[in-house]
Coordinates of all heavy atoms in Angstrom, one line a residue:
F1 N 0.8 -1.2 0.0 CA 0.0 0.0 0.0 C 0.9 1.2 0.0 O 1.7 1.4 0.9 CB -0.9 0.0 1.2 CG -2.0 -1.0 1.2 CD1 -1.8 -2.3 1.7 CD2 -3.2 -0.8 0.5 CE1 -2.9 -3.2 1.7 CE2 -4.2 -1.7 0.4 CZ -4.0 -2.9 1.0
D2 N 0.7 2.1 -1.0 CA 1.5 3.3 -1.1 C 0.8 4.4 -0.4 O -0.3 4.8 -0.7 CB 1.6 3.7 -2.6 CG 2.5 4.9 -2.9 OD1 2.8 5.6 -1.9 OD2 2.9 5.0 -4.1
P3 N 1.4 4.9 0.7 CA 0.8 5.9 1.5 C 0.3 7.2 0.7 O -0.6 7.8 1.1 CB 1.8 6.3 2.5 CG 2.8 5.2 2.5 CD 2.7 4.6 1.2
R4 N 1.0 7.4 -0.4 CA 0.6 8.6 -1.2 C -0.8 8.4 -1.8 O -1.4 9.4 -2.2 CB 1.6 8.8 -2.3 CG 3.0 9.1 -1.8 CD 4.1 9.1 -2.8 NE 4.3 7.8 -3.3 CZ 5.3 7.4 -4.0 NH1 6.2 8.3 -4.4 NH2 5.5 6.1 -4.4
H5 N -1.3 7.2 -1.9 CA -2.7 7.0 -2.5 C -3.8 7.4 -1.5 O -4.9 7.4 -1.8 CB -2.9 5.5 -2.9 CG -2.1 5.2 -4.1 ND1 -2.2 3.9 -4.7 CD2 -1.2 5.9 -4.8 CE1 -1.4 3.9 -5.7 NE2 -0.8 5.0 -5.8
Y6 N -3.4 7.7 -0.3 CA -4.4 8.0 0.8 C -4.3 9.4 1.2 O -4.9 9.8 2.2 CB -4.2 7.0 1.9 CG -4.2 5.6 1.4 CD1 -3.1 4.9 1.2 CD2 -5.4 5.0 1.1 CE1 -3.1 3.6 0.6 CE2 -5.5 3.7 0.5 CZ -4.3 3.0 0.3 OH -4.3 1.8 -0.2
L7 N -3.6 10.2 0.5 CA -3.5 11.7 0.7 C -4.4 12.4 -0.3 O -4.9 11.8 -1.2 CB -2.1 12.2 0.5 CG -1.0 11.5 1.4 CD1 0.4 11.9 0.9 CD2 -1.2 11.8 2.8
G8 N -4.6 13.7 -0.1 CA -5.5 14.4 -1.0 C -4.8 14.6 -2.4 O -3.6 14.4 -2.5
T9 N -5.6 14.9 -3.4 CA -5.0 15.1 -4.7 C -4.2 16.4 -4.7 O -4.4 17.3 -3.9 CB -6.1 15.2 -5.8 OG1 -6.9 16.3 -5.5 CG2 -6.9 13.9 -5.8
H10 N -3.4 16.6 -5.7 CA -2.6 17.8 -5.8 C -3.4 19.0 -6.3 O -3.0 20.1 -6.1 CB -1.3 17.6 -6.6 CG -1.6 17.4 -8.1 ND1 -2.0 16.2 -8.6 CD2 -1.6 18.3 -9.1 CE1 -2.2 16.3 -9.9 NE2 -1.9 17.5 -10.2
C11 N -4.5 18.7 -6.9 CA -5.3 19.8 -7.5 C -6.4 20.3 -6.6 O -6.7 21.5 -6.5 CB -5.9 19.4 -8.9 SG -4.7 19.0 -10.1
Y12 N -7.2 19.4 -6.0 CA -8.4 19.8 -5.3 C -8.4 19.5 -3.8 O -9.3 19.9 -3.1 CB -9.6 19.1 -6.0 CG -9.7 19.4 -7.5 CD1 -9.3 18.5 -8.4 CD2 -10.0 20.7 -7.9 CE1 -9.4 18.7 -9.7 CE2 -10.1 21.0 -9.3 CZ -9.7 20.0 -10.2 OH -9.8 20.2 -11.5
G13 N -7.5 18.7 -3.3 CA -7.5 18.3 -1.9 C -8.5 17.3 -1.5 O -8.6 17.1 -0.3
F14 N -9.2 16.7 -2.4 CA -10.2 15.7 -2.0 C -9.4 14.4 -1.7 O -8.4 14.1 -2.4 CB -11.2 15.4 -3.1 CG -12.1 16.6 -3.4 CD1 -12.0 17.3 -4.5 CD2 -13.0 16.9 -2.4 CE1 -12.9 18.4 -4.7 CE2 -13.9 18.0 -2.6 CZ -13.8 18.7 -3.8
P15 N -9.9 13.5 -0.9 CA -9.2 12.3 -0.6 C -9.3 11.4 -1.8 O -10.3 11.3 -2.5 CB -10.0 11.7 0.6 CG -11.3 12.4 0.7 CD -11.1 13.7 0.0
K16 N -8.1 10.7 -2.1 CA -8.1 9.8 -3.2 C -8.8 8.5 -2.8 O -9.3 7.8 -3.6 CB -6.6 9.5 -3.5 CG -5.9 10.5 -4.2 CD -4.5 10.1 -4.6 CE -3.8 11.1 -5.4 NZ -2.5 10.6 -5.9
T17 N -8.7 8.2 -1.5 CA -9.3 6.9 -1.0 C -10.1 7.3 0.2 O -9.6 7.5 1.3 CB -8.3 5.9 -0.7 OG1 -7.5 5.7 -1.9 CG2 -8.9 4.6 -0.3
G18 N -11.5 7.2 0.1 CA -12.3 7.4 1.2 C -12.5 6.2 2.1 O -12.0 5.1 1.7
P19 N -13.2 6.2 3.2 CA -13.4 5.1 4.1 C -14.0 3.9 3.4 O -13.6 2.7 3.7 CB -14.2 5.6 5.2 CG -14.8 6.9 4.7 CD -13.9 7.4 3.7
H20 N -15.0 4.1 2.5 CA -15.7 2.9 1.9 C -14.8 2.2 0.9 O -14.7 1.0 0.8 CB -17.0 3.4 1.2 CG -17.9 4.0 2.1 ND1 -18.6 3.3 3.1 CD2 -18.4 5.3 2.3 CE1 -19.4 4.1 3.8 NE2 -19.3 5.3 3.3
R21 N -14.0 3.0 0.1 CA -13.1 2.4 -0.8 C -12.0 1.7 -0.1 O -11.5 0.6 -0.5 CB -12.5 3.5 -1.8 CG -11.6 2.9 -2.8 CD -11.1 4.0 -3.8 NE -10.3 3.3 -4.8 CZ -9.6 4.0 -5.7 NH1 -9.6 5.3 -5.7 NH2 -8.9 3.4 -6.6
L22 N -11.5 2.3 1.0 CA -10.4 1.7 1.8 C -10.9 0.3 2.3 O -10.2 -0.7 2.3 CB -9.9 2.6 2.9 CG -8.8 2.0 3.8 CD1 -7.6 1.7 3.0 CD2 -8.5 3.0 4.9
R23 N -12.1 0.3 2.9 CA -12.6 -1.0 3.4 C -12.7 -2.0 2.3 O -12.3 -3.2 2.5 CB -14.0 -0.8 4.1 CG -14.5 -2.1 4.7 CD -15.7 -1.9 5.5 NE -16.8 -1.5 4.7 CZ -17.7 -0.5 5.0 NH1 -17.6 0.2 6.1 NH2 -18.7 -0.2 4.1
F24 N -13.2 -1.6 1.1 CA -13.3 -2.5 0.0 C -11.9 -3.1 -0.4 O -11.7 -4.3 -0.6 CB -13.9 -1.8 -1.2 CG -13.9 -2.6 -2.5 CD1 -14.8 -3.7 -2.7 CD2 -13.0 -2.4 -3.5 CE1 -14.8 -4.4 -3.8 CE2 -12.9 -3.1 -4.6 CZ -13.8 -4.2 -4.8
L25 N -10.9 -2.2 -0.5 CA -9.6 -2.6 -0.8 C -9.0 -3.6 0.2 O -8.4 -4.6 -0.2 CB -8.6 -1.4 -0.9 CG -8.8 -0.5 -2.1 CD1 -7.9 0.8 -1.9 CD2 -8.4 -1.2 -3.4
L26 N -9.2 -3.3 1.5 CA -8.7 -4.2 2.5 C -9.4 -5.6 2.5 O -8.7 -6.6 2.6 CB -8.9 -3.6 3.9 CG -8.0 -2.3 4.2 CD1 -8.3 -1.7 5.5 CD2 -6.5 -2.7 4.1
E27 N -10.7 -5.6 2.3 CA -11.4 -6.8 2.2 C -11.0 -7.6 1.0 O -10.9 -8.8 1.0 CB -12.9 -6.5 2.2 CG -13.5 -6.1 3.5 CD -14.9 -5.6 3.4 OE1 -15.5 -5.6 2.3 OE2 -15.5 -5.3 4.5
S28 N -10.8 -6.9 -0.1 CA -10.3 -7.6 -1.4 C -8.9 -8.2 -1.2 O -8.7 -9.3 -1.6 CB -10.3 -6.6 -2.5 OG -11.6 -6.1 -2.8
V29 N -8.0 -7.5 -0.6 CA -6.7 -8.1 -0.3 C -6.8 -9.3 0.6 O -6.1 -10.3 0.4 CB -5.8 -7.0 0.2 CG1 -4.5 -7.6 0.8 CG2 -5.5 -5.9 -0.8
K30 N -7.6 -9.2 1.6 CA -7.8 -10.3 2.6 C -8.3 -11.5 1.8 O -7.8 -12.6 2.0 CB -8.7 -9.9 3.7 CG -8.9 -11.0 4.7 CD -9.9 -10.5 5.8 CE -10.2 -11.7 6.8 NZ -11.2 -11.3 7.8
D31 N -9.3 -11.3 1.0 CA -9.9 -12.4 0.2 C -8.9 -13.0 -0.7 O -8.8 -14.2 -0.9 CB -11.2 -11.9 -0.5 CG -11.8 -13.0 -1.3 OD1 -12.4 -13.9 -0.6 OD2 -11.8 -13.0 -2.5
L32 N -8.1 -12.2 -1.4 CA -7.1 -12.7 -2.3 C -6.1 -13.5 -1.6 O -5.7 -14.6 -2.0 CB -6.4 -11.5 -3.0 CG -5.3 -11.9 -4.0 CD1 -5.7 -12.8 -5.1 CD2 -4.7 -10.6 -4.6
R33 N -5.6 -13.0 -0.4 CA -4.7 -13.8 0.4 C -5.2 -15.1 0.8 O -4.5 -16.2 0.7 CB -4.3 -13.0 1.6 CG -3.3 -13.8 2.5 CD -2.9 -13.0 3.8 NE -1.7 -12.3 3.4 CZ -1.3 -11.2 4.0 NH1 -2.0 -10.7 5.0 NH2 -0.1 -10.6 3.7
E34 N -6.5 -15.2 1.2 CA -7.1 -16.4 1.6 C -7.3 -17.4 0.4 O -7.0 -18.6 0.6 CB -8.5 -16.2 2.3 CG -8.4 -15.5 3.6 CD -9.7 -15.0 4.2 OE1 -10.7 -15.2 3.5 OE2 -9.7 -14.4 5.3
T35 N -7.6 -16.9 -0.7 CA -7.7 -17.7 -1.9 C -6.4 -18.3 -2.3 O -6.3 -19.5 -2.7 CB -8.3 -16.9 -3.1 OG1 -9.6 -16.4 -2.7 CG2 -8.5 -17.7 -4.4
L36 N -5.4 -17.5 -2.3 CA -4.0 -17.9 -2.7 C -3.5 -19.0 -1.7 O -2.9 -20.0 -2.0 CB -3.0 -16.8 -2.7 CG -3.2 -15.8 -3.9 CD1 -2.4 -14.6 -3.7 CD2 -2.9 -16.5 -5.2
K37 N -3.8 -18.8 -0.4 CA -3.4 -19.7 0.6 C -4.0 -21.1 0.4 O -3.4 -22.1 0.5 CB -3.8 -19.2 2.0 CG -3.3 -20.0 3.2 CD -3.6 -19.3 4.5 CE -3.0 -20.1 5.7 NZ -3.3 -19.5 6.9
K38 N -5.3 -21.1 0.0 CA -6.0 -22.4 -0.3 C -5.3 -23.1 -1.5 O -5.4 -24.3 -1.6 CB -7.5 -22.1 -0.6 CG -8.3 -21.7 0.6 CD -9.7 -21.4 0.2 CE -10.5 -20.9 1.4 NZ -11.9 -20.4 1.0
K39 N -4.7 -22.3 -2.3 CA -4.0 -22.9 -3.5 C -2.5 -23.2 -3.3 O -1.8 -23.5 -4.2 CB -4.2 -22.0 -4.7 CG -5.6 -21.9 -5.1 CD -5.8 -21.0 -6.4 CE -7.2 -20.9 -6.8 NZ -7.7 -22.0 -7.4
G40 N -2.1 -23.0 -2.0 CA -0.7 -23.3 -1.6 C 0.2 -22.1 -1.9 O 1.5 -22.4 -2.0
S41 N -0.3 -21.0 -2.1 CA 0.6 -19.8 -2.4 C 0.4 -18.8 -1.3 O -0.2 -19.1 -0.2 CB 0.2 -19.2 -3.7 OG 1.2 -18.2 -4.1
T42 N 0.9 -17.6 -1.5 CA 0.7 -16.5 -0.5 C 0.7 -15.2 -1.2 O 0.9 -15.1 -2.4 CB 1.9 -16.6 0.6 OG1 1.6 -15.7 1.6 CG2 3.2 -16.2 0.0
L43 N 0.5 -14.2 -0.4 CA 0.4 -12.8 -0.9 C 1.3 -11.9 0.0 O 1.1 -11.9 1.2 CB -1.0 -12.3 -0.9 CG -1.2 -10.8 -1.4 CD1 -0.8 -10.7 -2.9 CD2 -2.6 -10.4 -1.2
V44 N 2.3 -11.3 -0.6 CA 3.1 -10.4 0.2 C 2.5 -9.0 0.1 O 2.2 -8.4 -0.9 CB 4.5 -10.3 -0.4 CG1 5.4 -9.3 0.3 CG2 5.2 -11.7 -0.4
V45 N 2.2 -8.4 1.3 CA 1.6 -7.1 1.4 C 2.5 -6.2 2.2 O 3.0 -6.6 3.3 CB 0.2 -7.1 2.1 CG1 -0.4 -5.7 2.2 CG2 -0.7 -8.1 1.3
R46 N 2.9 -5.1 1.7 CA 3.7 -4.1 2.3 C 3.1 -2.7 2.3 O 2.4 -2.4 1.4 CB 5.1 -4.1 1.7 CG 5.9 -5.4 1.8 CD 6.4 -5.7 3.2 NE 7.2 -6.8 3.3 CZ 6.8 -8.0 3.6 NH1 5.5 -8.3 3.8 NH2 7.6 -9.0 3.6
K47 N 3.6 -1.9 3.2 CA 3.2 -0.5 3.2 C 4.4 0.4 2.9 O 5.4 0.1 3.6 CB 2.5 -0.1 4.5 CG 2.2 1.4 4.6 CD 1.7 1.7 6.0 CE 1.6 3.2 6.2 NZ 1.3 3.5 7.6
G48 N 4.4 1.3 2.0 CA 5.5 2.1 1.7 C 5.5 2.5 0.3 O 4.7 2.1 -0.5
K49 N 6.5 3.3 -0.1 CA 6.6 3.8 -1.5 C 7.1 2.6 -2.3 O 8.1 1.9 -1.9 CB 7.7 4.9 -1.6 CG 7.2 6.2 -0.9 CD 8.3 7.2 -1.0 CE 7.9 8.5 -0.4 NZ 9.0 9.5 -0.5
P50 N 6.4 2.2 -3.4 CA 6.8 1.1 -4.2 C 8.2 1.0 -4.6 O 8.8 0.0 -4.6 CB 5.8 1.2 -5.4 CG 4.7 2.0 -4.9 CD 5.2 2.9 -3.9
E51 N 8.8 2.2 -4.9 CA 10.2 2.2 -5.4 C 11.1 1.8 -4.3 O 12.2 1.3 -4.6 CB 10.6 3.6 -5.9 CG 10.4 4.8 -4.9 CD 9.0 5.4 -5.0 OE1 8.0 4.8 -5.4 OE2 8.9 6.6 -4.6
D52 N 10.7 1.9 -3.0 CA 11.5 1.4 -1.9 C 11.2 0.0 -1.5 O 12.1 -0.8 -1.3 CB 11.3 2.3 -0.7 CG 11.7 3.8 -0.9 OD1 12.7 4.0 -1.7 OD2 11.1 4.7 -0.3
V53 N 9.9 -0.3 -1.5 CA 9.4 -1.6 -1.0 C 9.8 -2.7 -2.0 O 10.3 -3.7 -1.6 CB 7.9 -1.6 -0.8 CG1 7.4 -3.0 -0.6 CG2 7.5 -0.7 0.3
V54 N 9.7 -2.5 -3.3 CA 10.0 -3.5 -4.3 C 11.6 -3.7 -4.2 O 12.0 -4.9 -4.3 CB 9.6 -3.1 -5.7 CG1 10.1 -4.0 -6.7 CG2 8.0 -3.0 -5.7
R55 N 12.3 -2.7 -4.2 CA 13.8 -2.8 -4.1 C 14.2 -3.7 -2.9 O 15.0 -4.6 -3.0 CB 14.5 -1.5 -4.0 CG 16.0 -1.6 -4.0 CD 16.7 -0.3 -3.6 NE 16.3 0.1 -2.3 CZ 15.7 1.3 -2.0 NH1 15.5 2.2 -2.9 NH2 15.4 1.6 -0.8
D56 N 13.6 -3.4 -1.7 CA 13.9 -4.1 -0.5 C 13.4 -5.6 -0.6 O 14.1 -6.5 -0.1 CB 13.2 -3.4 0.7 CG 13.8 -2.1 1.0 OD1 14.9 -1.7 0.5 OD2 13.1 -1.3 1.8
L57 N 12.3 -5.8 -1.2 CA 11.8 -7.2 -1.4 C 12.8 -8.0 -2.3 O 13.1 -9.2 -2.0 CB 10.4 -7.3 -2.0 CG 9.3 -7.1 -1.0 CD1 7.9 -6.9 -1.7 CD2 9.2 -8.2 0.0
I58 N 13.2 -7.4 -3.4 CA 14.1 -8.1 -4.3 C 15.4 -8.4 -3.5 O 15.9 -9.5 -3.6 CB 14.4 -7.2 -5.5 CG1 13.2 -7.1 -6.4 CG2 15.6 -7.7 -6.3 CD1 13.2 -6.1 -7.5
T59 N 15.9 -7.5 -2.8 CA 17.1 -7.7 -2.0 C 16.9 -8.8 -1.0 O 17.7 -9.7 -0.8 CB 17.6 -6.4 -1.3 OG1 17.8 -5.4 -2.2 CG2 18.8 -6.6 -0.4
Q60 N 15.8 -8.8 -0.3 CA 15.4 -9.8 0.7 C 15.3 -11.2 0.1 O 15.8 -12.2 0.7 CB 14.2 -9.4 1.5 CG 13.7 -10.3 2.6 CD 12.4 -9.9 3.2 OE1 11.7 -9.0 2.7 NE2 12.0 -10.6 4.2
L61 N 14.6 -11.3 -1.0 CA 14.3 -12.6 -1.6 C 15.6 -13.1 -2.3 O 15.8 -14.4 -2.4 CB 13.2 -12.5 -2.6 CG 11.8 -12.2 -2.0 CD1 10.8 -11.9 -3.1 CD2 11.4 -13.3 -1.1
G62 N 16.4 -12.3 -2.9 CA 17.6 -12.7 -3.5 C 17.6 -13.3 -4.9 O 18.5 -13.0 -5.7
S63 N 16.6 -14.1 -5.2 CA 16.7 -14.8 -6.5 C 15.5 -14.4 -7.4 O 14.8 -15.2 -7.9 CB 16.7 -16.3 -6.3 OG 15.5 -16.7 -5.7
V64 N 15.2 -13.1 -7.6 CA 14.1 -12.6 -8.4 C 14.6 -12.4 -9.8 O 15.6 -11.8 -10.1 CB 13.6 -11.2 -7.8 CG1 12.5 -10.6 -8.7 CG2 13.1 -11.4 -6.4
S65 N 13.8 -13.0 -10.7 CA 14.2 -12.9 -12.2 C 13.3 -12.0 -12.9 O 13.7 -11.5 -14.0 CB 14.2 -14.3 -12.8 OG 12.9 -14.8 -12.8
T66 N 12.1 -11.7 -12.4 CA 11.2 -10.9 -13.1 C 10.3 -10.0 -12.1 O 9.9 -10.5 -11.1 CB 10.2 -11.7 -14.0 OG1 10.9 -12.6 -14.8 CG2 9.3 -10.8 -14.8
V67 N 10.1 -8.8 -12.5 CA 9.3 -7.9 -11.7 C 8.2 -7.3 -12.7 O 8.6 -6.8 -13.7 CB 10.1 -6.8 -11.0 CG1 9.1 -5.8 -10.3 CG2 11.1 -7.3 -10.1
V68 N 7.0 -7.4 -12.3 CA 5.9 -6.9 -13.2 C 5.1 -5.8 -12.4 O 4.9 -6.0 -11.2 CB 4.9 -8.0 -13.6 CG1 3.8 -7.5 -14.5 CG2 5.7 -9.1 -14.3
F69 N 4.8 -4.7 -13.0 CA 4.1 -3.7 -12.3 C 3.2 -2.9 -13.3 O 3.3 -3.1 -14.5 CB 5.1 -2.7 -11.7 CG 5.9 -1.9 -12.6 CD1 5.6 -0.7 -13.1 CD2 7.1 -2.5 -13.1 CE1 6.4 0.0 -14.0 CE2 7.9 -1.8 -14.0 CZ 7.5 -0.6 -14.4
H70 N 2.3 -2.0 -12.8 CA 1.6 -1.2 -13.7 C 1.8 0.3 -13.2 O 2.1 0.5 -12.0 CB 0.1 -1.5 -13.6 CG -0.7 -1.1 -12.4 ND1 -0.6 -1.7 -11.2 CD2 -1.4 0.0 -12.3 CE1 -1.3 -1.0 -10.4 NE2 -1.8 0.0 -10.9
E71 N 1.6 1.2 -14.1 CA 1.7 2.6 -13.7 C 0.3 3.2 -13.8 O -0.4 3.0 -14.7 CB 2.6 3.3 -14.7 CG 2.9 4.7 -14.4 CD 3.9 5.4 -15.3 OE1 4.5 4.7 -16.1 OE2 4.1 6.6 -15.2
E72 N 0.0 4.0 -12.8 CA -1.3 4.7 -12.8 C -1.3 5.8 -13.9 O -0.4 6.6 -14.0 CB -1.5 5.4 -11.4 CG -2.8 6.2 -11.3 CD -3.0 6.8 -9.9 OE1 -2.1 6.6 -9.1 OE2 -4.0 7.5 -9.8
V73 N -2.4 5.8 -14.7 CA -2.5 6.8 -15.7 C -3.0 8.1 -15.0 O -4.0 8.1 -14.3 CB -3.5 6.4 -16.8 CG1 -3.7 7.5 -17.8 CG2 -3.0 5.1 -17.4
R74 N -2.3 9.2 -15.3 CA -2.7 10.5 -14.6 C -3.2 11.4 -15.7 O -2.6 11.6 -16.7 CB -1.5 11.1 -13.9 CG -1.1 10.2 -12.8 CD -0.1 10.9 -12.0 NE 0.2 10.1 -10.8 CZ 0.9 10.5 -9.8 NH1 1.3 11.7 -9.7 NH2 1.1 9.6 -8.8
E75 N -4.4 11.9 -15.4 CA -5.0 12.9 -16.3 C -4.3 14.3 -16.1 O -4.2 14.7 -15.0 CB -6.5 13.0 -15.9 CG -7.3 13.9 -16.9 CD -8.7 13.9 -16.5 OE1 -9.2 12.9 -16.0 OE2 -9.4 14.9 -16.7
T76 N -4.0 14.9 -17.2 CA -3.4 16.3 -17.1 C -4.5 17.2 -17.3 O -5.4 17.1 -18.2 CB -2.3 16.4 -18.1 OG1 -2.8 16.2 -19.4 CG2 -1.1 15.5 -17.8
L77 N -4.6 18.3 -16.5 CA -5.6 19.3 -16.7 C -5.0 20.5 -17.3 O -4.0 20.9 -17.1 CB -6.2 19.6 -15.3 CG -6.9 18.4 -14.6 CD1 -7.3 18.8 -13.2 CD2 -8.0 18.0 -15.4

C-alpha cells in the first residue's frame, strides 16, 4: 500500500481513497490472500513507497528474475 494514495489530490485536496473504498480494498486483499493460501501460495503485502518496497523485497528474496508492475495513468488538466 502506497501511503501517497491515501492523501489528497494535488489539484483539489479531495481524498483519493475514502473510508468505503479503503474498506473494499482491505477486504479484497484479505480475500485474495485467503484464496491464494488455499491454492498453496501466499500474498506479500507491504506499506511504503513502491520504489523502496520493491527494491527491499528483491534484496530480501535474492533470486528474483522478473518484476511486473503497472503505472497509474494520470489525467493532465
Side-chain angles (χ1 to χ4, degrees):
F1 289 95
D2 185 342
R4 296 172 290 194
H5 288 184
Y6 307 97
L7 303 173
T9 64
H10 69 279
C11 294
Y12 305 106
F14 293 113
K16 287 185 175 183
T17 305
H20 300 292
R21 182 174 184 193
L22 180 58
R23 184 173 64 224
F24 173 77
L25 287 171
L26 292 173
E27 289 173 355
S28 297
V29 168
K30 181 180 176 184
D31 183 65
L32 177 58
R33 176 181 268 159
E34 291 170 0
T35 300
L36 289 170
K37 188 175 180 180
K38 289 176 187 174
K39 296 181 180 287
S41 190
T42 190
L43 178 67
V44 176
V45 178
R46 296 288 187 267
K47 176 185 171 192
K49 294 180 180 178
E51 57 269 25
D52 299 329
V53 172
V54 172
R55 181 192 62 235
D56 294 345
L57 278 173
I58 291 170
T59 301
Q60 181 183 6
L61 295 171
S63 62
V64 175
S65 61
T66 305
V67 176
V68 179
F69 65 95
H70 79 280
E71 182 176 355
E72 179 180 358
V73 177
R74 295 188 178 195
E75 183 179 328
T76 57
L77 301 174

